[in-house]
């Protein structure tokens, strides 16, 4: 984004910078955000692997509110404590405005310095522009960044990956190529056994494994999808797709007796899943939009199941679920559309939309014609019109007549008669950043409920214009980023979503808390009630691109049908009971378990604070254990059957890139190695550290256990083209071999050798 000029001068702007991509203590790299007075924004994110850049247009309220927050703190003359040793500095610089200046502070000092409001806006912009990729920030605002464009990342090809396994009943290895493909070779003669075509994205991980008698290969990379192939037939068994970028809206209607999920987001597509018989089946995506989609809704009208979506291009599309045909393209908004809602009654239906132009437009779904433009004088004699962008719309009823309500960035809830277009009232939402709106029926009372990122949840009796429900910020437990209403049994519930991915349920009639759903890994951008197998579920879409289905009754996560939301960095195979599975680790910080044959998602493990770059699995007693590690420098173990965390091994001073399961002195152990060359050995059952092998130069690229004549050995390969074989448990160096290539995978072959694979072929390292 070039810097705009005003009268030959650089336009006013705010720079926000923090982090260091070269510091091992900083997991999130360096971030530089620029916000300009004309509504532009640019974000640069530097980490050790690549540089990513995004540009966007911001809602007009952002710039003045950011400056107002800075003025309240007396910026730049603010007393701040010194940054503690090892702390991360945050720099705010204002150029060209009346409060020009610069300030450097620790993030923890923001509240005491009166800068919490300004940093909340800046952190939210970082999160929204990056689609949650910069995990050091929280997004506590409704969507205010639009037309987000990600520039091509500056990154070299993937470093390469290799794996040993079986092909055609004989030992083999697979290795990636610089051309984003993979090749198969036999062991030990290195004869070609097959190859893939070029992938559209770099492959960063692969693994050979099996499911029953079928030999498989799993691959993953920057397209974020785990793909599994039958290595003997070449058939691709599965490659589960999903949103590429933030999910900004979800709806979960019942269609044809089954629960469905529709999710819309920043990739300009609407993805769908069918929930039937306890199975969530991906049904593909509808595309064709330009820019992000910001809201999606459903209604049944004239025996047709309709879905509508609106987004940054300012157009609302309506299509028929049965055949995917487009019924209407509704144009009229000036600027992006933030919110849509539909109402069906027999053969009649209406759609309401609102967005950046501050107008609520009502459309006839039979004709596609606009019925009302609700703003300014058109809002009625009271003059109740929007003065800022609309963030939510919903249909409801008052005394049997249809109404439409909206919330906007001026902090107001407004209500109109749908038939006449007359304004019925306006009430304060309680905050400047309304994030959700819902129509609620409790007994004989009709309520419109709103949520705010910086205030309470309020419910208004729209017939009498009285405030009848208020959940304070203290009761809510934090900024509310999403709101929905639904039924469970004989009562109406409200669901509130939060920046940490958590949710809470409330009794809509009394306002009493019902249940808390545990946090996940991304800001809840949208939430909806639905049905799966006749049981009520809660569906969420988050800023990382994840769709999650929770059981309303227990709060347990039932399924995450979407793929990883970051590059797939590590893969492995395992068996849980009689089920063969694939384990994957990703730059999104999650570990996932998938059915090896069908690709059905089985488990998602949360706990890592940065990218997961290594996974493996092994048996500990009668339990299958998954091991993961990555850039947060922690080695974690999980129960593969339940996904429950077991142990966390701390001690690595730098990112961990390799793991291996083995046996030492008749007990299962785990070896881990990474960027600093140090290898640590852990007891798998307890997580206790047993040994440290510090004598490896370079980054560890492969590990493998072996045993000869009752003596255990560990092969350690590093990116200085060396393989060192260590005797265990005394830690003596048994052999050091220099190769003519970068080693990528190692395998012990009885009685006394290791095979080491790389892009140039296979090498043999004898133990003695």
């Amino acid at each position: 984004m070039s810097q705009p000029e005003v009268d030959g001068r650089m336009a006013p702007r705010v720079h926000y910078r923090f982090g260091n991509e070269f510091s091992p203590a900083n997991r999130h790299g360096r971030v530089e955000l620029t916000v300009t007075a004309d509504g532009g924004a640019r974000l640069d994110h530097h980490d050790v692997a690549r540089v990513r850049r995004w540009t966007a247009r911001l809602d007009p309220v952002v710039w003045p509110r950011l400056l107002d927050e800075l003025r309240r703190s007396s910026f730049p003359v603010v007393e701040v404590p010194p940054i503690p040793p090892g702390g991360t500095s945050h720099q705010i610089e204002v150029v060209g405005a009346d409060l020009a200046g610069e300030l450097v502070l620790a993030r923890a000092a923001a509240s005491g310095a009166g800068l919490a409001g300004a940093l909340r806006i800046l952190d939210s912009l970082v999160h929204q522009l990056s689609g949650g990729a910069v995990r050091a920030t929280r997004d506590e605002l409704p969507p205010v960044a639009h037309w987000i464009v990600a520039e091509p990342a500056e990154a070299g090809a993937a470093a390469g990956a290799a794996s040993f396994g079986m092909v055609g009943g004989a030992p083999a290895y697979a290795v990636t190529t610089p051309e984003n493909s993979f090749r198969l070779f036999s062991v030990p003669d290195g004869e070609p056994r097959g190859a893939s075509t070029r992938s559209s994205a770099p492959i960063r991980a692969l693994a050979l494994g099996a499911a029953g008698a079928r030999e498989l290969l799993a691959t993953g990379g920057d397209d974020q999808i785990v793909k599994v192939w039958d290595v003997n037939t070449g058939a691709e068994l599965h490659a589960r797709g999903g949103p590429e970028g933030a999910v900004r809206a979800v709806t979960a209607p019942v269609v044809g007796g089954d629960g469905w999920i529709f999710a819309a987001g920043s990739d300009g597509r609407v993805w769908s899943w069918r929930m039937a018989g306890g199975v969530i089946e991906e049904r593909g995506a509808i595309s064709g939009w330009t820019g992000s989609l910001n809201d999606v809704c459903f209604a049944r009208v004239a025996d047709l199941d309709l879905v509508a979506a609106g987004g940054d291009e300012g157009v609302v599309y309506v299509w028929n679920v049965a055949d995917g045909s487009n019924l209407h393209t509704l144009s009229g908004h000036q600027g992006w559309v933030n919110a849509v809602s539909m109402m069906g009654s027999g053969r009649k239906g209406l759609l309401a939309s609102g967005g950046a132009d501050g107008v609520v437009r009502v459309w006839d779904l039979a004709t596609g014609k606009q019925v009302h433009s609700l703003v300014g004088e058109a809002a009625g004699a009271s003059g109740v019109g929007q003065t800022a962008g609309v963030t939510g719309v919903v249909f409801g009823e008052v005394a049997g007549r249809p109404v439409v309500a909206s919330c906007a960035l001026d902090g107001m809830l407004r209500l109109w008669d749908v038939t006449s277009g007359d304004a019925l009232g306006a009430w304060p939402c309680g905050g400047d950043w309304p994030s959700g709106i819902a129509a609620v029926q409790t007994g004989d009372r009709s309520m419109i409920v709103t949520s705010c990122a910086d205030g309470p949840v309020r419910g208004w009796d729209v017939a009498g214009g009285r405030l009848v429900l208020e959940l304070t910020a203290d009761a809510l437990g934090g900024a509310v980023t999403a709101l929905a209403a639904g039924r469970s049994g004989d009562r109406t519930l409200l669901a509130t979503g939060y920046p940490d991915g958590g949710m809470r349920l409330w009794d809509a009639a009394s306002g009493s808390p019902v249940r808390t759903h545990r946090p996940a890994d991304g800001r809840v951008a949208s939430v909806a009630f639905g049905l799966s197998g006749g049981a009520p579920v809660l569906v969420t879409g988050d800023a990382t691109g994840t769709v999650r289905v929770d059981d309303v009754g227990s709060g347990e996560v039932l399924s995450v049908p979407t793929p990883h939301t970051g590059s797939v960095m590590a893969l492995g195979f395992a068996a849980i009971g009689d089920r063969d599975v694939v384990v994957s680790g990703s730059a999104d910080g999650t570990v996932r378990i998938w059915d090896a044959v069908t690709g059905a998602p089985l488990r998602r493990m949360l706990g890592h604070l940065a990218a997961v770059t290594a996974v493996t699995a092994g048996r500990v007693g009668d339990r299958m254990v998954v091991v993961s590690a990555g850039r947060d420098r922690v080695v974690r173990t999980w129960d593969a059957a339940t996904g429950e965390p077991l142990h966390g091994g701390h001690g690595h001073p730098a990112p961990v890139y390799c793991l291996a399961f083995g046996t030492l002195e008749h007990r299962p152990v785990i070896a881990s190695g990474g960027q600093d060359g140090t290898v640590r050995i852990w007891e798998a059952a307890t997580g206790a550290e047993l040994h440290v092998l510090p004598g490896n130069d370079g980054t560890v690229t492969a590990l493998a256990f072996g045993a000869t004549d009752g003596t255990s050995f560990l092969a350690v390969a590093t990116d200085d083209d060396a393989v060192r074989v260590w005797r265990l448990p005394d830690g003596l160096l048994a052999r050091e071999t220099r190769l003519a290539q970068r080693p990528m995978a190692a395998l012990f072959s009885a009685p006394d050798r290791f095979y080491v694979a790389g892009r140039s072929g296979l090498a043999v390292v004898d133990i003695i």
Side-chain angles (χ1 to χ4, degrees):
M1 181 185 73
S2 60
Q3 298 291 352
E5 295 186 355
V6 179
D7 297 330
R9 296 175 290 107
M10 198 74 75
R13 59 200 183 278
V14 173
H15 298 294
Y16 178 48
R17 308 177 182 96
F18 64 87
N20 180 349
E21 70 269 39
F22 301 112
S23 170
N26 191 309
R27 300 184 300 268
H28 304 292
R30 174 164 53 95
V31 175
E32 298 180 359
L33 171 70
T34 299
V35 179
T36 57
D38 70 337
R42 175 182 176 128
L43 176 67
D44 289 15
H45 181 216
H46 306 253
D47 64 23
V48 293
R50 56 183 171 175
V51 178
R52 290 177 289 181
R53 294 186 174 92
W54 299 265
T55 59
R57 302 301 302 172
L58 305 181
D59 191 282
V61 305
V62 172
W63 176 259
R65 289 187 183 179
L66 176 58
L67 292 193
D68 285 346
E69 292 289 353
L70 290 171
R71 288 190 186 97
R72 290 192 186 102
S73 70
S74 300
F75 179 93
V77 185
V78 182
E79 292 290 335
V80 295
I83 298 171
T88 299
S89 63
H90 287 65
Q91 179 190 32
I92 302 174
E93 180 186 10
V94 180
V95 179
D98 60 323
L99 66 165
E102 181 180 344
L103 183 67
V104 178
L105 74 161
R107 184 65 177 83
S111 295
L115 288 164
L119 285 182
R120 178 172 61 178
I121 294 174
L122 293 169
D123 283 343
S124 295
L125 293 179
V126 169
H127 205 278
Q128 289 188 21
L129 263 71
S130 70
V134 181
R135 304 181 71 203
T137 59
R138 283 166 58 97
D139 180 11
E140 297 186 355
L141 300 184
V144 292
H146 298 273
W147 287 115
I148 299 171
V149 177
E151 297 181 8
E154 296 178 9
S163 174
F164 286 95
M166 303 292 286
V167 175
Y173 72 94
V175 62
T176 61
T177 73
E179 292 76 33
N180 300 341
S181 64
F182 61 83
R183 302 177 69 187
L184 298 167
F185 299 92
S186 61
V187 175
D189 54 20
E191 289 297 314
R193 297 300 306 270
S196 73
T197 58
R198 180 170 184 153
S199 172
S200 60
I203 299 173
R204 299 191 179 273
L206 50 71
L208 283 165
R214 178 179 278 179
E215 296 166 339
L216 305 178
L217 173 69
T219 65
D222 287 356
D223 61 3
Q224 306 174 4
I225 299 173
V226 175
K227 302 175 183 178
V228 175
W229 317 74
D230 185 312
V231 295
N232 292 303
T233 67
E236 182 182 284
L237 301 186
H238 56 83
R240 298 182 72 90
E244 297 177 8
V247 172
R248 290 196 165 185
V250 294
T251 187
V254 173
V255 182
D258 294 324
W260 280 63
I261 300 170
F262 296 95
S266 61
D267 64 355
R269 293 182 287 181
V270 175
W271 286 83
S272 61
W273 295 265
R274 177 172 170 261
M275 299 183 287
V279 176
I280 299 181
E281 175 191 3
E282 179 192 322
R283 299 304 295 266
I286 298 175
S287 58
W289 290 271
T290 301
S292 172
L293 292 177
N294 301 320
D295 202 6
V296 65
C297 63
F298 171 89
R300 184 167 178 80
V301 179
D303 298 325
L304 296 178
D305 295 310
L306 306 181
V307 171
D312 285 355
E313 63 178 325
V315 176
V316 179
Y317 292 89
V318 183
W319 76 93
N320 184 358
V321 173
D323 58 13
S325 60
N326 177 244
L327 299 182
H328 299 298
T329 300
L330 309 177
S331 302
H333 283 283
Q334 303 300 310
W336 45 79
V337 173
N338 288 328
V340 292
S341 180
M342 285 193 291
M343 178 183 70
S345 178
R347 304 196 65 80
K348 296 182 179 180
L350 296 173
L351 182 146
S353 56
D357 58 5
V359 180
V360 173
R361 300 181 188 274
V362 180
W363 314 80
D364 186 322
L365 285 171
T367 64
K369 301 296 184 182
Q370 182 174 296
V371 178
H372 298 298
S373 176
L374 305 178
V375 65
E377 293 182 358
S382 66
V384 183
Q386 314 292 343
T387 60
V390 177
T391 59
V393 293
V394 68
F395 284 103
E397 285 191 0
V398 176
R401 59 176 175 168
V403 296
V404 63
S406 69
C407 58
L409 287 172
D410 60 1
M412 296 298 292
L413 160 67
R414 292 178 172 85
L415 189 71
W416 288 272
D417 184 289
V418 168
T419 303
S420 66
D422 289 336
L424 301 178
W427 305 277
C429 297
D432 292 331
W433 303 99
S435 58
I437 189 169
V440 178
Q441 188 74 33
T442 58
D444 296 331
R445 173 180 289 163
S446 297
M447 283 195 300
I448 300 295
V449 182
T450 59
S451 62
C452 290
D454 59 340
V457 168
R458 285 182 170 179
W460 296 86
D461 182 333
V462 291
R466 295 181 298 110
L467 180 65
V468 293
L469 174 70
E470 184 164 21
L471 305 176
T472 65
D474 288 341
L476 291 166
V480 176
T481 56
L483 175 72
R487 298 283 296 178
S488 178
D490 59 355
R491 64 177 172 177
T492 301
L493 299 178
L494 294 174
T496 52
Y498 297 88
D500 64 359
M503 291 176 290
R504 294 188 180 186
L505 295 179
W506 312 82
D507 186 287
S510 65
S512 58
V514 175
R515 185 172 297 103
T516 297
H517 292 231
R518 62 186 178 185
D521 55 336
R523 166 191 179 272
V524 176
S526 181
V527 60
F529 285 87
L531 291 174
S532 178
V537 295
L538 203 57
V539 179
T540 60
D542 75 24
T544 69
T546 299
V547 172
R548 180 176 118 200
V549 182
D550 287 12
D551 182 84
V552 169
S554 67
E556 292 300 310
V557 178
L558 298 178
S559 180
V560 179
T562 45
H564 282 291
T565 59
S567 298
V568 178
M569 310 294 287
L571 289 165
F573 282 85
I576 304 175
D578 58 358
R579 184 176 223 163
D580 295 297
V581 300
V582 175
V583 181
S584 59
S586 168
D588 64 11
T590 67
V591 179
R592 303 283 300 265
I593 299 178
W594 318 80
D595 185 284
V597 176
T598 68
L602 303 177
R603 295 280 181 269
R604 185 175 67 136
M605 286 89 91
L606 306 175
H608 284 284
L609 301 178
V612 176
T613 53
V615 295
T616 190
R619 189 160 294 281
V620 180
D622 58 357
R623 170 189 280 169
M624 179 59 68
V625 171
V626 169
V627 189
S628 60
R631 290 180 182 160
D632 64 356
R633 310 182 299 279
V634 181
V635 177
R636 298 187 181 275
T637 57
W638 317 81
D639 186 308
T642 66
E644 292 301 312
L646 300 175
H647 306 291
H650 299 262
H652 280 283
V656 180
Y657 295 135
C658 291
L659 294 167
F661 233 104
T663 301
L664 180 61
E665 297 178 320
H666 308 293
R667 55 182 170 176
V669 294
I670 301 159
S672 58
Q675 190 175 52
D676 70 336
T678 300
V679 173
R680 297 175 186 271
I681 299 176
W682 316 80
E683 184 175 37
T686 65
E689 184 180 286
L690 301 177
H691 305 286
V692 178
L693 304 175
N696 302 287
D697 298 327
T699 297
V700 178
T701 58
L703 295 166
F705 282 96
T708 297
D709 296 330
T711 301
S712 296
F713 295 89
L714 178 66
V716 180
T718 51
D719 66 357
D720 61 348
D721 302 343
V723 177
R724 297 172 180 86
V725 179
W726 300 88
R727 192 176 71 189
L728 300 175
D730 56 17
L732 292 179
L733 181 62
R735 178 176 289 273
E736 180 173 342
T737 302
R738 293 285 169 175
L739 306 180
Q741 64 173 338
R742 180 181 183 271
M744 297 179 182
L747 172 72
F748 176 71
S749 178
D752 56 5
R753 64 177 44 177
F754 287 96
Y755 289 118
V756 180
R759 280 180 172 163
S760 298
L762 194 67
V764 176
V765 177
D766 293 318
I767 295 177
I768 53 176

